[in-house]
Amino acid sequence: MESATKPGEMPGAEQNWTPKLIFSMASMLLLLEVLTVSYIMISMAIPGIAAHFQTTQGAWLLTSMLLVGAVTGPLVGKLADMYGKRKLLLLCVVVATVGSLLSAVASSYAMLVAGRALSGVLIPCVFLTYSLIRDIFPTKTIALAVSIVTSGLGLVAIPAPFLTGWFLDNHGWRSIFWFFVIAMVVFGAMIFVSTKESAVRLHSKTDLLGAVLLGAGIAGVLIALSFGPTWGWTNGSTLAYLVGGIILLVGWLVSAGMVAAPLVDLAVLRERPVWVTALASGMAYGCSALFTILLPMMAMTPAVMGLGYGFGVSAKGFAVFQAPIGGMVVVGGVIVGILVGRNVRPRLLMILGLLMFSAAFLCTALSHTDKPLLLVFAGLAGLGMGLAYAAVPNLLIEAVPPQLQASTASIVSVAQSVIASILPVLAFTVMNNSYIAPFPPELTHGAILYTDKGFQIAFLIGAAASGIGALLALLLPRRIAQLEVPATQITDDDHEVAFAH
């Protein structure tokens, strides 16, 4: 099949930035900011919510959203490739809005968690936005647009603690969910009026068996990883979820090799640019999760405890440490967008970002008693995050044809979620086994404090993981040739954009 018009080069389309394009990009960026701020706000609201419903299961407010996002991602990606990325993006916004509304009016904790679970479909919106941008934006603007949209996720983290504190202090925890409802309605409407649908379609069938096997398998593994530290790694429930999840994932692999149109094409996943991008980006997201957990724990510990670290800052006071991270994430994304637009390979930027991240972990491990220096290290980590985050969609755009963009990106997103769950568990398993500070519970009000050596080891684990990610990124080909669409899945619609090389 001969090459047709490329995405972003529709006949008569403008090839440069226009006010409507900027508005469209801003709409998608603001929607994804809601996803980021939801983690921060809910984390700060958990104590009040748990007290209101008299529950000890506050972790489900975060876990349920992560689970649903990871489980639904592959199916959402496949449906987006088949029926239109804008349609699925707006559908996800509607479902997430209903979920937040359900949480806002919840009369029971189960109802609240169910609403949070529905809100998890906002997570696939990350790859849906950059997949849609790839199809509808002019070629000259794609690299910068996808980089800004994906790396802009760190910007809102700066004011979020202050906004959350104002909501909780003046209007209670329900106001947070009403804020989500209003924000998603507004930003979803902005996307509806400013962003057109992609013309790219994948001629395929819905693999329902594959969706069930893959989704249930991912859920089993993530539940085991999330609750293993609480239940115990040898607990029957932990082992049942973990082993059951692995068996279901193996079943999915077998199923995908047998059906004509699998949920995710295994031939595409076996290609080096795809599986290397999945693993390297997973390391980047895992290291991001670890750094953003370790840093506040360390900074908020009172110095008077005599552990050799800590500044005793409050949750709101931690914003001074969050500012350089969030700001530099955005800077890193803009740098990637500009350089990729000038033909710098995203592979190089991915490697550079992970090396910066590794350096930030290493420096923090060796020196974390000087606040200004720690702010510099936090900024370095943010820059590494931004470079790595923004490199991922650009790598997938290079490697994967438009018809498979969303479904392939969904599996990369799953790898990011799984590794982001594993790495903090690994670090805290080491810390809990050997580096708990010997304080009586009544002195710490039940909180667990770690020795200085424990934090050093944890940050060194992050440095090693980032380094491994950089080594993985080195395996990416210097020049990535775009994969072909499987012959059984090429559409024959003359109005659709399709190109095989």
Side-chain angles (χ1 to χ4, degrees):
M1 186 174 181
E2 294 183 358
S3 175
T5 307
K6 293 182 180 180
E9 294 182 353
M10 306 293 183
E14 293 288 339
Q15 289 301 301
N16 293 304
W17 288 101
T18 64
K20 187 174 183 179
L21 277 179
I22 294 173
F23 184 55
S24 173
M25 182 186 71
S27 302
M28 289 184 273
L29 171 61
L30 289 170
L31 175 67
L32 297 189
E33 295 285 6
V34 176
L35 175 61
T36 302
V37 80
S38 73
Y39 288 112
I40 299 170
M41 287 185 162
I42 297 303
S43 296
M44 293 179 65
I46 283 177
I49 294 174
H52 178 85
F53 288 105
Q54 297 183 345
T55 179
T56 59
Q57 302 299 314
W60 274 107
L61 290 174
L62 297 174
T63 303
S64 61
M65 185 177 186
L66 173 65
L67 279 173
V68 171
V71 167
T72 59
L75 181 59
V76 168
K78 182 64 177 282
L79 293 175
D81 283 336
M82 291 171 59
Y83 300 110
K85 302 176 179 76
R86 178 178 178 270
K87 289 186 182 71
L88 267 294
L89 176 63
L90 292 174
L91 178 60
C92 286
V93 173
V94 170
V95 174
T97 303
V98 172
S100 292
L101 179 60
L102 190 64
S103 294
V105 300
S107 58
S108 67
Y109 189 64
M111 185 177 176
L112 180 65
V113 172
R116 283 296 291 164
L118 286 177
S119 299
V121 297
L122 200 60
I123 294 176
C125 291
V126 176
F127 64 78
L128 287 177
T129 52
Y130 69 71
S131 298
L132 181 58
I133 287 171
R134 184 252 178 93
D135 291 351
I136 66 172
F137 273 46
T139 302
K140 292 179 181 179
T141 67
I142 290 174
L144 184 58
V146 299
S147 299
I148 289 175
V149 166
T150 52
S151 64
L153 297 175
L155 191 60
V156 76
I158 300 171
F162 299 102
L163 181 62
T164 306
W166 182 79
F167 275 131
L168 294 176
D169 293 341
N170 295 283
H171 303 287
W173 60 265
R174 292 184 188 275
S175 64
I176 290 177
F177 296 103
W178 285 114
F179 169 75
F180 295 155
V181 170
I182 295 169
M184 284 188 285
V185 168
V186 172
F187 301 148
M190 289 169 62
I191 292 172
F192 181 81
V193 301
S194 68
T195 307
K196 62 184 179 182
E197 179 61 279
S198 166
V200 178
R201 293 291 185 277
L202 177 69
H203 181 68
S204 185
K205 296 179 179 179
T206 304
D207 178 15
L208 293 178
L209 176 61
V212 171
L213 289 173
L214 180 57
I218 293 169
V221 171
L222 285 178
I223 288 174
L225 292 173
S226 298
F227 293 97
T230 303
W231 295 342
W233 292 109
T234 58
N235 179 273
S237 296
T238 303
L239 293 175
Y241 278 111
L242 182 60
V243 174
I246 292 173
I247 291 173
L248 289 169
L249 290 176
V250 172
W252 167 69
L253 287 172
V254 174
S255 169
M258 296 173 63
V259 299
L263 186 68
V264 179
D265 196 288
L266 296 184
V268 173
L269 290 186
R270 284 193 291 265
E271 293 291 336
R272 182 155 53 112
V274 177
W275 67 262
V276 170
T277 297
L279 291 179
S281 68
M283 285 298 185
Y285 277 73
C287 290
S288 173
L290 181 59
F291 195 88
T292 53
I293 291 172
L294 291 176
L295 188 60
M297 286 183 64
M298 190 171 65
M300 293 169 70
T301 300
V304 295
M305 301 302 293
L307 292 169
Y309 64 85
F311 305 102
V313 299
S314 64
K316 292 181 182 179
F318 181 72
V320 70
F321 291 91
Q322 185 63 53
I325 297 176
M328 293 308 290
V329 166
V330 177
V331 170
V334 172
I335 290 173
V336 170
I338 293 172
L339 293 181
V340 171
R342 296 180 180 177
N343 296 319
V344 175
R345 310 320 306 169
R347 168 186 179 272
L348 176 62
L349 300 171
M350 182 76 158
I351 295 168
L352 182 61
L354 284 162
L355 288 176
M356 285 185 176
F357 218 161
S358 186
F361 270 108
L362 181 60
C363 290
T364 307
L366 297 177
S367 177
H368 44 257
T369 58
D370 182 86
K371 185 181 289 188
L373 200 56
L374 196 54
L375 292 174
V376 172
F377 299 156
L380 181 61
L383 183 58
M385 284 185 210
L387 291 173
Y389 286 0
V392 174
N394 285 292
L395 283 167
L396 291 176
I397 286 171
E398 273 194 341
V400 182
Q403 299 91 331
L404 302 175
Q405 182 75 48
S407 54
T408 305
S410 71
I411 294 298
V412 173
S413 177
V414 169
Q416 293 165 356
S417 295
V418 171
I419 296 177
S421 298
I422 291 174
L423 196 58
V425 167
L426 173 63
F428 278 93
T429 298
V430 173
M431 294 173 76
N432 288 328
N433 284 341
S434 306
Y435 300 103
I436 295 179
F439 289 120
E442 57 272 16
L443 183 62
T444 62
H445 303 288
I448 296 176
L449 297 179
Y450 299 97
T451 64
D452 186 64
K453 185 68 173 180
F455 274 104
Q456 287 181 353
I457 295 297
F459 279 107
L460 288 175
I461 289 173
S466 303
I468 291 171
L471 290 174
L472 284 168
L474 277 171
L475 296 176
L476 289 166
R478 293 182 181 275
R479 290 284 174 178
I480 297 177
Q482 192 169 96
L483 307 176
E484 294 184 0
V485 181
T488 58
Q489 301 192 53
I490 297 179
T491 180
D492 56 5
D493 189 334
D494 292 334
H495 297 290
E496 293 169 351
V497 179
F499 61 117
H501 297 280

